[in-house]
Amino acid sequence: MSTPTPARERILSAATRRFYAEGVRAVSADRLIADAEVSKVTFYRHFRSKDDLVVAYLERVAAAERAEVERHVAAEAPADVLRWYARFLGETTCSPGFRGCPFINAAAEHADPGHPARVAVDAHRRWLHGQASALVAALGAAEPDALAERLLMLRDGAMVAGYVGQAPDQVADALLAAGEAVVRAAIPSAA
């Protein structure tokens, strides 16, 4: 990974804004070079290709989410972390400028499972699944991986609901109710 520099940061910040708002494929390297006010040489010194920049963008988004989730995992009981995450998603998915999950969006734009963007998406997805599985295992789930997958499906649906225009409290309340129902069905003692 390149050493952080002001130019690299400007490129990555421009990419983060543009890729999320417009889509990865829709944004050209030339547009990012202009936005970051760098030369092509500087751009390619920091990112060998646009794909490298896409991966750096996804890793940046993943690192921010990981830090926030891990902060809650370290300080709260598993059920409280799951409730927090549902409320957090409700607020996030309905905020101005929300365009869906950056990882789902990137996966939709890159069909090849071997593409570097898909590899980054899959890594974050495995991490999310692992976090959810560990939380529900701590609650007593007999099949934590299967339950984690169901919760991730609810997460994905909440992100779509937020993107298409439901109010934040509706998304958060619906996700929380659905998540609690799924957990209670799998772990009756969690009621």
Side-chain angles (χ1 to χ4, degrees), residues 64-133:
E65 185 171 2
R66 284 181 184 142
E68 189 65 14
V69 168
E70 288 170 355
R71 184 173 69 80
H72 284 272
V73 167
E76 299 170 29
D80 292 335
V81 174
L82 291 169
R83 286 185 197 98
W84 161 79
Y85 194 69
R87 287 188 297 274
F88 168 76
L89 282 177
E91 294 167 8
T92 302
T93 62
C94 299
S95 63
F98 182 76
R99 288 196 70 260
C101 173
F103 299 96
I104 294 171
N105 294 346
E109 291 190 59
H110 297 90
D112 176 6
H115 189 279
R118 282 298 293 269
V119 172
V121 168
D122 292 344
H124 185 64
R125 201 70 186 173
R126 281 191 309 277
W127 177 84
L128 272 176
H129 186 275
Q131 289 293 305
S133 183

Short mmCIF file of all heavy atoms in Angstrom, two decimals, residues 64-133:
data_model
loop_
_atom_site.label_atom_id
_atom_site.label_comp_id
_atom_site.label_asym_id
_atom_site.label_seq_id
_atom_site.Cartn_x
_atom_site.Cartn_y
_atom_site.Cartn_z
N ALA A 64 -13.85 2.00 7.88
CA ALA A 64 -14.70 2.88 8.69
C ALA A 64 -15.83 2.08 9.36
O ALA A 64 -16.11 2.27 10.54
CB ALA A 64 -15.27 4.00 7.83
N GLU A 65 -16.44 1.18 8.59
CA GLU A 65 -17.52 0.38 9.17
C GLU A 65 -16.98 -0.57 10.23
O GLU A 65 -17.57 -0.72 11.31
CB GLU A 65 -18.25 -0.41 8.09
CG GLU A 65 -19.45 -1.15 8.64
CD GLU A 65 -20.34 -1.77 7.58
OE1 GLU A 65 -20.02 -1.68 6.37
OE2 GLU A 65 -21.35 -2.37 7.98
N ARG A 66 -15.85 -1.18 9.95
CA ARG A 66 -15.25 -2.09 10.93
C ARG A 66 -14.94 -1.38 12.23
O ARG A 66 -15.21 -1.91 13.32
CB ARG A 66 -13.97 -2.70 10.35
CG ARG A 66 -14.22 -3.76 9.34
CD ARG A 66 -12.93 -4.34 8.84
NE ARG A 66 -13.23 -5.30 7.80
CZ ARG A 66 -12.52 -5.47 6.71
NH1 ARG A 66 -11.44 -4.76 6.50
NH2 ARG A 66 -12.88 -6.36 5.82
N ALA A 67 -14.36 -0.21 12.14
CA ALA A 67 -14.00 0.53 13.35
C ALA A 67 -15.24 0.82 14.19
O ALA A 67 -15.22 0.67 15.42
CB ALA A 67 -13.27 1.82 12.98
N GLU A 68 -16.31 1.24 13.54
CA GLU A 68 -17.53 1.57 14.27
C GLU A 68 -18.15 0.32 14.90
O GLU A 68 -18.54 0.31 16.07
CB GLU A 68 -18.53 2.27 13.35
CG GLU A 68 -19.72 2.84 14.04
CD GLU A 68 -19.41 3.97 15.00
OE1 GLU A 68 -18.29 4.53 14.99
OE2 GLU A 68 -20.29 4.31 15.80
N VAL A 69 -18.24 -0.76 14.13
CA VAL A 69 -18.82 -1.99 14.66
C VAL A 69 -17.96 -2.52 15.81
O VAL A 69 -18.47 -2.88 16.87
CB VAL A 69 -18.99 -3.04 13.54
CG1 VAL A 69 -19.32 -4.41 14.12
CG2 VAL A 69 -20.07 -2.61 12.56
N GLU A 70 -16.66 -2.56 15.61
CA GLU A 70 -15.76 -3.10 16.64
C GLU A 70 -15.81 -2.27 17.92
O GLU A 70 -15.68 -2.81 19.02
CB GLU A 70 -14.35 -3.23 16.09
CG GLU A 70 -14.26 -4.37 15.08
CD GLU A 70 -12.95 -4.43 14.30
OE1 GLU A 70 -12.10 -3.52 14.45
OE2 GLU A 70 -12.79 -5.39 13.52
N ARG A 71 -16.02 -0.98 17.78
CA ARG A 71 -16.16 -0.12 18.97
C ARG A 71 -17.37 -0.55 19.78
O ARG A 71 -17.32 -0.66 21.01
CB ARG A 71 -16.27 1.34 18.53
CG ARG A 71 -16.32 2.33 19.68
CD ARG A 71 -16.27 3.76 19.18
NE ARG A 71 -17.46 4.18 18.47
CZ ARG A 71 -18.59 4.56 19.05
NH1 ARG A 71 -18.71 4.58 20.36
NH2 ARG A 71 -19.63 4.94 18.32
N HIS A 72 -18.47 -0.85 19.11
CA HIS A 72 -19.68 -1.28 19.81
C HIS A 72 -19.53 -2.70 20.36
O HIS A 72 -20.00 -2.98 21.47
CB HIS A 72 -20.90 -1.17 18.89
CG HIS A 72 -21.36 0.24 18.71
ND1 HIS A 72 -22.25 0.84 19.56
CD2 HIS A 72 -21.00 1.18 17.81
CE1 HIS A 72 -22.44 2.10 19.19
NE2 HIS A 72 -21.70 2.33 18.12
N VAL A 73 -18.92 -3.58 19.58
CA VAL A 73 -18.71 -4.96 20.05
C VAL A 73 -17.88 -4.97 21.33
O VAL A 73 -18.16 -5.74 22.25
CB VAL A 73 -18.04 -5.82 18.94
CG1 VAL A 73 -17.52 -7.14 19.49
CG2 VAL A 73 -19.02 -6.06 17.79
N ALA A 74 -16.90 -4.10 21.41
CA ALA A 74 -16.03 -4.05 22.59
C ALA A 74 -16.74 -3.49 23.82
O ALA A 74 -16.35 -3.78 24.95
CB ALA A 74 -14.79 -3.21 22.30
N ALA A 75 -17.79 -2.71 23.62
CA ALA A 75 -18.41 -2.01 24.74
C ALA A 75 -19.80 -2.48 25.12
O ALA A 75 -20.31 -2.09 26.17
CB ALA A 75 -18.46 -0.51 24.41
N GLU A 76 -20.44 -3.29 24.28
CA GLU A 76 -21.84 -3.60 24.52
C GLU A 76 -22.10 -5.10 24.44
O GLU A 76 -21.33 -5.85 23.84
CB GLU A 76 -22.71 -2.89 23.47
CG GLU A 76 -22.59 -1.38 23.52
CD GLU A 76 -23.26 -0.69 22.35
OE1 GLU A 76 -24.23 -1.23 21.80
OE2 GLU A 76 -22.80 0.40 21.99
N ALA A 77 -23.21 -5.51 25.01
CA ALA A 77 -23.65 -6.91 24.93
C ALA A 77 -24.05 -7.22 23.49
O ALA A 77 -24.48 -6.32 22.75
CB ALA A 77 -24.85 -7.12 25.86
N PRO A 78 -23.94 -8.49 23.06
CA PRO A 78 -24.24 -8.85 21.68
C PRO A 78 -25.62 -8.39 21.19
O PRO A 78 -25.74 -7.85 20.08
CB PRO A 78 -24.13 -10.38 21.68
CG PRO A 78 -23.13 -10.67 22.75
CD PRO A 78 -23.40 -9.65 23.81
N ALA A 79 -26.65 -8.57 21.97
CA ALA A 79 -27.99 -8.16 21.55
C ALA A 79 -28.05 -6.64 21.36
O ALA A 79 -28.71 -6.15 20.43
CB ALA A 79 -29.04 -8.62 22.56
N ASP A 80 -27.37 -5.90 22.22
CA ASP A 80 -27.34 -4.44 22.09
C ASP A 80 -26.60 -4.00 20.84
O ASP A 80 -26.98 -3.01 20.20
CB ASP A 80 -26.72 -3.81 23.34
CG ASP A 80 -27.59 -3.99 24.57
OD1 ASP A 80 -28.82 -4.16 24.42
OD2 ASP A 80 -27.03 -3.99 25.68
N VAL A 81 -25.55 -4.73 20.49
CA VAL A 81 -24.81 -4.40 19.26
C VAL A 81 -25.73 -4.61 18.05
O VAL A 81 -25.78 -3.76 17.14
CB VAL A 81 -23.53 -5.25 19.11
CG1 VAL A 81 -22.86 -5.00 17.77
CG2 VAL A 81 -22.56 -4.98 20.25
N LEU A 82 -26.45 -5.71 18.03
CA LEU A 82 -27.36 -5.97 16.91
C LEU A 82 -28.45 -4.90 16.82
O LEU A 82 -28.77 -4.43 15.72
CB LEU A 82 -27.98 -7.37 17.05
CG LEU A 82 -27.00 -8.53 16.85
CD1 LEU A 82 -27.65 -9.85 17.27
CD2 LEU A 82 -26.49 -8.60 15.41
N ARG A 83 -28.97 -4.48 17.97
CA ARG A 83 -29.99 -3.41 17.96
C ARG A 83 -29.39 -2.09 17.48
O ARG A 83 -30.00 -1.36 16.71
CB ARG A 83 -30.59 -3.24 19.36
CG ARG A 83 -31.53 -4.34 19.73
CD ARG A 83 -32.21 -4.06 21.09
NE ARG A 83 -32.79 -5.27 21.59
CZ ARG A 83 -32.21 -6.07 22.50
NH1 ARG A 83 -31.06 -5.76 23.05
NH2 ARG A 83 -32.81 -7.17 22.88
N TRP A 84 -28.20 -1.78 17.97
CA TRP A 84 -27.52 -0.56 17.52
C TRP A 84 -27.34 -0.58 16.01
O TRP A 84 -27.60 0.41 15.32
CB TRP A 84 -26.15 -0.40 18.21
CG TRP A 84 -25.29 0.54 17.44
CD1 TRP A 84 -25.35 1.91 17.46
CD2 TRP A 84 -24.30 0.21 16.47
NE1 TRP A 84 -24.45 2.43 16.56
CE2 TRP A 84 -23.80 1.40 15.95
CE3 TRP A 84 -23.79 -1.00 15.98
CZ2 TRP A 84 -22.80 1.43 14.96
CZ3 TRP A 84 -22.81 -0.98 15.02
CH2 TRP A 84 -22.33 0.23 14.52
N TYR A 85 -26.88 -1.71 15.48
CA TYR A 85 -26.61 -1.81 14.05
C TYR A 85 -27.89 -1.58 13.24
O TYR A 85 -27.87 -0.89 12.22
CB TYR A 85 -25.98 -3.16 13.71
CG TYR A 85 -25.35 -3.20 12.33
CD1 TYR A 85 -24.22 -2.47 12.04
CD2 TYR A 85 -25.91 -3.98 11.32
CE1 TYR A 85 -23.64 -2.50 10.79
CE2 TYR A 85 -25.34 -4.01 10.07
CZ TYR A 85 -24.21 -3.27 9.80
OH TYR A 85 -23.64 -3.29 8.54
N ALA A 86 -29.01 -2.11 13.70
CA ALA A 86 -30.27 -1.90 13.00
C ALA A 86 -30.64 -0.42 12.99
O ALA A 86 -31.02 0.13 11.95
CB ALA A 86 -31.39 -2.72 13.65
N ARG A 87 -30.50 0.24 14.14
CA ARG A 87 -30.81 1.68 14.19
C ARG A 87 -29.82 2.49 13.33
O ARG A 87 -30.21 3.41 12.62
CB ARG A 87 -30.80 2.17 15.64
CG ARG A 87 -32.01 1.70 16.43
CD ARG A 87 -32.09 2.35 17.82
NE ARG A 87 -30.95 2.00 18.65
CZ ARG A 87 -30.86 0.91 19.40
NH1 ARG A 87 -31.86 0.05 19.42
NH2 ARG A 87 -29.80 0.66 20.13
N PHE A 88 -28.55 2.12 13.42
CA PHE A 88 -27.51 2.77 12.62
C PHE A 88 -27.83 2.67 11.13
O PHE A 88 -27.75 3.65 10.39
CB PHE A 88 -26.15 2.14 12.95
CG PHE A 88 -25.04 2.50 12.01
CD1 PHE A 88 -24.43 3.74 12.08
CD2 PHE A 88 -24.59 1.59 11.06
CE1 PHE A 88 -23.40 4.08 11.22
CE2 PHE A 88 -23.56 1.91 10.20
CZ PHE A 88 -22.97 3.16 10.27
N LEU A 89 -28.20 1.48 10.67
CA LEU A 89 -28.54 1.31 9.26
C LEU A 89 -29.76 2.14 8.88
O LEU A 89 -29.80 2.73 7.80
CB LEU A 89 -28.79 -0.16 8.93
CG LEU A 89 -27.57 -1.02 8.77
CD1 LEU A 89 -27.96 -2.47 8.53
CD2 LEU A 89 -26.68 -0.53 7.64
N GLY A 90 -30.76 2.17 9.76
CA GLY A 90 -31.94 2.98 9.47
C GLY A 90 -31.60 4.44 9.28
O GLY A 90 -32.08 5.09 8.35
N GLU A 91 -30.74 4.97 10.13
CA GLU A 91 -30.33 6.37 10.01
C GLU A 91 -29.47 6.59 8.77
O GLU A 91 -29.64 7.55 8.03
CB GLU A 91 -29.54 6.80 11.25
CG GLU A 91 -30.38 6.83 12.50
CD GLU A 91 -29.53 6.93 13.77
OE1 GLU A 91 -28.30 7.14 13.67
OE2 GLU A 91 -30.10 6.78 14.86
N THR A 92 -28.53 5.68 8.53
CA THR A 92 -27.60 5.81 7.41
C THR A 92 -28.30 5.68 6.07
O THR A 92 -28.06 6.47 5.16
CB THR A 92 -26.49 4.74 7.51
OG1 THR A 92 -25.83 4.89 8.77
CG2 THR A 92 -25.49 4.86 6.39
N THR A 93 -29.17 4.68 5.96
CA THR A 93 -29.77 4.40 4.66
C THR A 93 -30.75 5.46 4.21
O THR A 93 -31.09 5.51 3.03
CB THR A 93 -30.49 3.04 4.65
OG1 THR A 93 -31.54 3.05 5.61
CG2 THR A 93 -29.54 1.91 4.93
N CYS A 94 -31.19 6.27 5.10
CA CYS A 94 -32.14 7.30 4.74
C CYS A 94 -31.55 8.70 4.78
O CYS A 94 -32.26 9.69 4.68
CB CYS A 94 -33.36 7.22 5.66
SG CYS A 94 -34.21 5.64 5.53
N SER A 95 -30.25 8.78 4.91
CA SER A 95 -29.61 10.09 4.96
C SER A 95 -29.50 10.68 3.55
O SER A 95 -29.50 9.94 2.56
CB SER A 95 -28.23 9.98 5.62
OG SER A 95 -27.39 9.15 4.84
N PRO A 96 -29.42 12.00 3.45
CA PRO A 96 -29.29 12.63 2.13
C PRO A 96 -28.05 12.08 1.40
O PRO A 96 -26.99 11.91 1.99
CB PRO A 96 -29.11 14.12 2.47
CG PRO A 96 -29.70 14.28 3.83
CD PRO A 96 -29.46 12.97 4.54
N GLY A 97 -28.24 11.80 0.13
CA GLY A 97 -27.13 11.31 -0.68
C GLY A 97 -26.91 9.82 -0.61
O GLY A 97 -26.02 9.28 -1.29
N PHE A 98 -27.71 9.10 0.19
CA PHE A 98 -27.53 7.66 0.28
C PHE A 98 -27.88 7.01 -1.06
O PHE A 98 -28.93 7.27 -1.63
CB PHE A 98 -28.41 7.07 1.39
CG PHE A 98 -28.23 5.59 1.56
CD1 PHE A 98 -27.11 5.09 2.19
CD2 PHE A 98 -29.17 4.71 1.06
CE1 PHE A 98 -26.92 3.71 2.32
CE2 PHE A 98 -29.01 3.34 1.20
CZ PHE A 98 -27.88 2.84 1.82
N ARG A 99 -26.98 6.17 -1.56
CA ARG A 99 -27.19 5.50 -2.85
C ARG A 99 -27.04 3.98 -2.73
O ARG A 99 -26.60 3.33 -3.66
CB ARG A 99 -26.18 6.02 -3.87
CG ARG A 99 -26.48 7.42 -4.33
CD ARG A 99 -25.74 7.80 -5.59
NE ARG A 99 -26.23 7.09 -6.76
CZ ARG A 99 -25.68 6.01 -7.33
NH1 ARG A 99 -24.62 5.47 -6.86
NH2 ARG A 99 -26.18 5.47 -8.40
N GLY A 100 -27.34 3.44 -1.58
CA GLY A 100 -27.23 2.00 -1.41
C GLY A 100 -25.90 1.61 -0.81
O GLY A 100 -25.04 2.44 -0.52
N CYS A 101 -25.74 0.32 -0.63
CA CYS A 101 -24.51 -0.22 -0.06
C CYS A 101 -23.38 -0.11 -1.08
O CYS A 101 -23.51 -0.60 -2.20
CB CYS A 101 -24.74 -1.68 0.32
SG CYS A 101 -23.24 -2.53 0.87
N PRO A 102 -22.27 0.52 -0.72
CA PRO A 102 -21.17 0.65 -1.67
C PRO A 102 -20.63 -0.71 -2.13
O PRO A 102 -20.17 -0.84 -3.27
CB PRO A 102 -20.10 1.43 -0.93
CG PRO A 102 -20.61 1.70 0.43
CD PRO A 102 -21.99 1.16 0.56
N PHE A 103 -20.74 -1.71 -1.29
CA PHE A 103 -20.22 -3.03 -1.63
C PHE A 103 -21.17 -3.75 -2.59
O PHE A 103 -20.73 -4.37 -3.55
CB PHE A 103 -19.98 -3.84 -0.36
CG PHE A 103 -18.97 -3.19 0.52
CD1 PHE A 103 -19.36 -2.37 1.56
CD2 PHE A 103 -17.62 -3.35 0.27
CE1 PHE A 103 -18.42 -1.73 2.35
CE2 PHE A 103 -16.67 -2.72 1.06
CZ PHE A 103 -17.07 -1.89 2.10
N ILE A 104 -22.46 -3.66 -2.34
CA ILE A 104 -23.43 -4.26 -3.25
C ILE A 104 -23.36 -3.55 -4.60
O ILE A 104 -23.39 -4.18 -5.66
CB ILE A 104 -24.85 -4.21 -2.66
CG1 ILE A 104 -24.93 -5.11 -1.42
CG2 ILE A 104 -25.89 -4.63 -3.69
CD1 ILE A 104 -26.22 -4.97 -0.63
N ASN A 105 -23.24 -2.22 -4.56
CA ASN A 105 -23.13 -1.46 -5.81
C ASN A 105 -21.90 -1.88 -6.61
O ASN A 105 -21.98 -2.08 -7.83
CB ASN A 105 -23.06 0.05 -5.52
CG ASN A 105 -24.35 0.58 -4.92
OD1 ASN A 105 -25.38 -0.07 -4.93
ND2 ASN A 105 -24.28 1.79 -4.37
N ALA A 106 -20.76 -2.01 -5.94
CA ALA A 106 -19.53 -2.40 -6.63
C ALA A 106 -19.65 -3.82 -7.17
O ALA A 106 -19.20 -4.11 -8.29
CB ALA A 106 -18.33 -2.28 -5.69
N ALA A 107 -20.27 -4.71 -6.42
CA ALA A 107 -20.45 -6.09 -6.89
C ALA A 107 -21.34 -6.12 -8.12
O ALA A 107 -21.08 -6.87 -9.06
CB ALA A 107 -21.03 -6.95 -5.78
N ALA A 108 -22.38 -5.28 -8.13
CA ALA A 108 -23.28 -5.23 -9.28
C ALA A 108 -22.56 -4.74 -10.53
O ALA A 108 -22.91 -5.13 -11.64
CB ALA A 108 -24.47 -4.33 -8.97
N GLU A 109 -21.57 -3.90 -10.35
CA GLU A 109 -20.83 -3.37 -11.50
C GLU A 109 -19.69 -4.26 -11.96
O GLU A 109 -19.12 -4.04 -13.02
CB GLU A 109 -20.27 -1.99 -11.15
CG GLU A 109 -21.33 -0.93 -11.00
CD GLU A 109 -20.73 0.46 -10.91
OE1 GLU A 109 -20.04 0.88 -11.86
OE2 GLU A 109 -20.94 1.12 -9.89
N HIS A 110 -19.34 -5.25 -11.17
CA HIS A 110 -18.22 -6.13 -11.50
C HIS A 110 -18.68 -7.58 -11.35
O HIS A 110 -18.58 -8.17 -10.27
CB HIS A 110 -17.02 -5.85 -10.59
CG HIS A 110 -16.49 -4.47 -10.76
ND1 HIS A 110 -16.95 -3.41 -10.03
CD2 HIS A 110 -15.56 -3.98 -11.62
CE1 HIS A 110 -16.31 -2.31 -10.41
NE2 HIS A 110 -15.47 -2.63 -11.36
N ALA A 111 -19.15 -8.16 -12.43
CA ALA A 111 -19.72 -9.51 -12.39
C ALA A 111 -18.68 -10.60 -12.16
O ALA A 111 -18.99 -11.63 -11.58
CB ALA A 111 -20.47 -9.79 -13.69
N ASP A 112 -17.45 -10.37 -12.59
CA ASP A 112 -16.40 -11.38 -12.47
C ASP A 112 -16.00 -11.54 -11.01
O ASP A 112 -15.47 -10.60 -10.40
CB ASP A 112 -15.20 -10.96 -13.31
CG ASP A 112 -14.01 -11.90 -13.20
OD1 ASP A 112 -14.12 -12.96 -12.55
OD2 ASP A 112 -12.96 -11.57 -13.77
N PRO A 113 -16.20 -12.73 -10.42
CA PRO A 113 -15.85 -12.92 -9.02
C PRO A 113 -14.36 -12.78 -8.74
O PRO A 113 -13.96 -12.57 -7.60
CB PRO A 113 -16.34 -14.33 -8.69
CG PRO A 113 -16.61 -14.99 -9.99
CD PRO A 113 -16.78 -13.93 -11.03
N GLY A 114 -13.53 -12.85 -9.77
CA GLY A 114 -12.09 -12.69 -9.59
C GLY A 114 -11.62 -11.25 -9.73
O GLY A 114 -10.43 -10.96 -9.52
N HIS A 115 -12.52 -10.35 -10.10
CA HIS A 115 -12.14 -8.94 -10.25
C HIS A 115 -11.70 -8.40 -8.88
O HIS A 115 -12.30 -8.74 -7.86
CB HIS A 115 -13.31 -8.13 -10.78
CG HIS A 115 -12.94 -6.73 -11.15
ND1 HIS A 115 -12.82 -5.73 -10.21
CD2 HIS A 115 -12.63 -6.18 -12.35
CE1 HIS A 115 -12.47 -4.60 -10.82
NE2 HIS A 115 -12.35 -4.86 -12.11
N PRO A 116 -10.66 -7.57 -8.83
CA PRO A 116 -10.19 -7.03 -7.54
C PRO A 116 -11.28 -6.36 -6.70
O PRO A 116 -11.28 -6.48 -5.47
CB PRO A 116 -9.10 -6.04 -7.94
CG PRO A 116 -8.64 -6.49 -9.28
CD PRO A 116 -9.83 -7.11 -9.95
N ALA A 117 -12.22 -5.69 -7.36
CA ALA A 117 -13.32 -5.06 -6.60
C ALA A 117 -14.19 -6.13 -5.94
O ALA A 117 -14.58 -5.98 -4.77
CB ALA A 117 -14.17 -4.19 -7.51
N ARG A 118 -14.48 -7.20 -6.65
CA ARG A 118 -15.28 -8.28 -6.08
C ARG A 118 -14.55 -8.97 -4.95
O ARG A 118 -15.16 -9.39 -3.96
CB ARG A 118 -15.66 -9.30 -7.16
CG ARG A 118 -16.78 -8.87 -8.07
CD ARG A 118 -18.09 -8.65 -7.33
NE ARG A 118 -18.65 -9.85 -6.79
CZ ARG A 118 -19.51 -10.64 -7.41
NH1 ARG A 118 -19.93 -10.34 -8.62
NH2 ARG A 118 -19.96 -11.72 -6.83
N VAL A 119 -13.24 -9.10 -5.07
CA VAL A 119 -12.45 -9.70 -3.99
C VAL A 119 -12.56 -8.84 -2.73
O VAL A 119 -12.75 -9.35 -1.63
CB VAL A 119 -10.98 -9.89 -4.44
CG1 VAL A 119 -10.10 -10.32 -3.28
CG2 VAL A 119 -10.91 -10.91 -5.58
N ALA A 120 -12.49 -7.51 -2.90
CA ALA A 120 -12.63 -6.60 -1.76
C ALA A 120 -14.04 -6.67 -1.18
O ALA A 120 -14.22 -6.66 0.05
CB ALA A 120 -12.30 -5.17 -2.18
N VAL A 121 -15.04 -6.74 -2.04
CA VAL A 121 -16.43 -6.87 -1.58
C VAL A 121 -16.59 -8.16 -0.79
O VAL A 121 -17.16 -8.17 0.31
CB VAL A 121 -17.41 -6.84 -2.78
CG1 VAL A 121 -18.81 -7.27 -2.35
CG2 VAL A 121 -17.44 -5.46 -3.41
N ASP A 122 -16.09 -9.25 -1.33
CA ASP A 122 -16.22 -10.55 -0.67
C ASP A 122 -15.50 -10.55 0.69
O ASP A 122 -16.01 -11.14 1.65
CB ASP A 122 -15.69 -11.67 -1.56
CG ASP A 122 -16.56 -11.90 -2.78
OD1 ASP A 122 -17.72 -11.42 -2.81
OD2 ASP A 122 -16.08 -12.54 -3.74
N ALA A 123 -14.35 -9.91 0.77
CA ALA A 123 -13.62 -9.85 2.05
C ALA A 123 -14.46 -9.11 3.09
O ALA A 123 -14.56 -9.55 4.25
CB ALA A 123 -12.27 -9.17 1.86
N HIS A 124 -15.06 -7.99 2.70
CA HIS A 124 -15.88 -7.24 3.66
C HIS A 124 -17.13 -8.03 4.03
O HIS A 124 -17.54 -8.06 5.19
CB HIS A 124 -16.26 -5.87 3.09
CG HIS A 124 -17.00 -5.04 4.08
ND1 HIS A 124 -16.44 -4.60 5.26
CD2 HIS A 124 -18.27 -4.58 4.10
CE1 HIS A 124 -17.32 -3.91 5.96
NE2 HIS A 124 -18.45 -3.88 5.27
N ARG A 125 -17.70 -8.69 3.06
CA ARG A 125 -18.90 -9.49 3.31
C ARG A 125 -18.59 -10.63 4.30
O ARG A 125 -19.38 -10.90 5.20
CB ARG A 125 -19.35 -10.03 1.97
CG ARG A 125 -20.72 -10.47 1.83
CD ARG A 125 -21.66 -9.32 1.85
NE ARG A 125 -22.98 -9.93 1.87
CZ ARG A 125 -24.08 -9.28 2.02
NH1 ARG A 125 -24.08 -7.99 2.14
NH2 ARG A 125 -25.21 -9.90 2.03
N ARG A 126 -17.44 -11.28 4.13
CA ARG A 126 -17.04 -12.34 5.06
C ARG A 126 -16.85 -11.77 6.46
O ARG A 126 -17.23 -12.38 7.46
CB ARG A 126 -15.76 -13.03 4.58
CG ARG A 126 -15.98 -14.04 3.49
CD ARG A 126 -14.75 -14.89 3.21
NE ARG A 126 -13.54 -14.12 2.99
CZ ARG A 126 -13.18 -13.57 1.84
NH1 ARG A 126 -13.95 -13.70 0.78
NH2 ARG A 126 -12.05 -12.89 1.74
N TRP A 127 -16.27 -10.57 6.54
CA TRP A 127 -16.08 -9.94 7.84
C TRP A 127 -17.43 -9.65 8.50
O TRP A 127 -17.63 -9.95 9.68
CB TRP A 127 -15.26 -8.65 7.70
CG TRP A 127 -15.11 -7.96 9.02
CD1 TRP A 127 -14.18 -8.22 9.98
CD2 TRP A 127 -15.95 -6.93 9.54
NE1 TRP A 127 -14.39 -7.41 11.07
CE2 TRP A 127 -15.47 -6.62 10.82
CE3 TRP A 127 -17.06 -6.27 9.05
CZ2 TRP A 127 -16.07 -5.64 11.62
CZ3 TRP A 127 -17.66 -5.29 9.83
CH2 TRP A 127 -17.15 -4.99 11.11
N LEU A 128 -18.36 -9.05 7.73
CA LEU A 128 -19.70 -8.78 8.27
C LEU A 128 -20.37 -10.06 8.75
O LEU A 128 -20.94 -10.10 9.84
CB LEU A 128 -20.59 -8.15 7.19
CG LEU A 128 -20.57 -6.65 7.01
CD1 LEU A 128 -21.45 -6.26 5.83
CD2 LEU A 128 -21.01 -5.93 8.26
N HIS A 129 -20.29 -11.08 7.93
CA HIS A 129 -20.88 -12.36 8.29
C HIS A 129 -20.24 -12.90 9.57
O HIS A 129 -20.94 -13.39 10.47
CB HIS A 129 -20.73 -13.37 7.14
CG HIS A 129 -21.44 -14.64 7.38
ND1 HIS A 129 -20.88 -15.68 8.10
CD2 HIS A 129 -22.68 -15.06 7.02
CE1 HIS A 129 -21.73 -16.67 8.16
NE2 HIS A 129 -22.84 -16.33 7.52
N GLY A 130 -18.94 -12.81 9.67
CA GLY A 130 -18.24 -13.28 10.86
C GLY A 130 -18.65 -12.53 12.11
O GLY A 130 -18.83 -13.13 13.18
N GLN A 131 -18.82 -11.22 11.97
CA GLN A 131 -19.27 -10.42 13.12
C GLN A 131 -20.67 -10.83 13.55
O GLN A 131 -20.93 -11.04 14.73
CB GLN A 131 -19.26 -8.92 12.78
CG GLN A 131 -17.89 -8.34 12.65
CD GLN A 131 -17.16 -8.32 13.97
OE1 GLN A 131 -17.63 -7.80 14.97
NE2 GLN A 131 -15.99 -8.93 13.98
N ALA A 132 -21.59 -10.95 12.58
CA ALA A 132 -22.96 -11.33 12.91
C ALA A 132 -23.00 -12.74 13.50
O ALA A 132 -23.70 -12.98 14.49
CB ALA A 132 -23.84 -11.24 11.66
N SER A 133 -22.22 -13.65 12.93
CA SER A 133 -22.18 -15.02 13.43
C SER A 133 -21.67 -15.07 14.87
O SER A 133 -22.23 -15.77 15.72
CB SER A 133 -21.30 -15.88 12.51
OG SER A 133 -21.31 -17.22 12.93
#
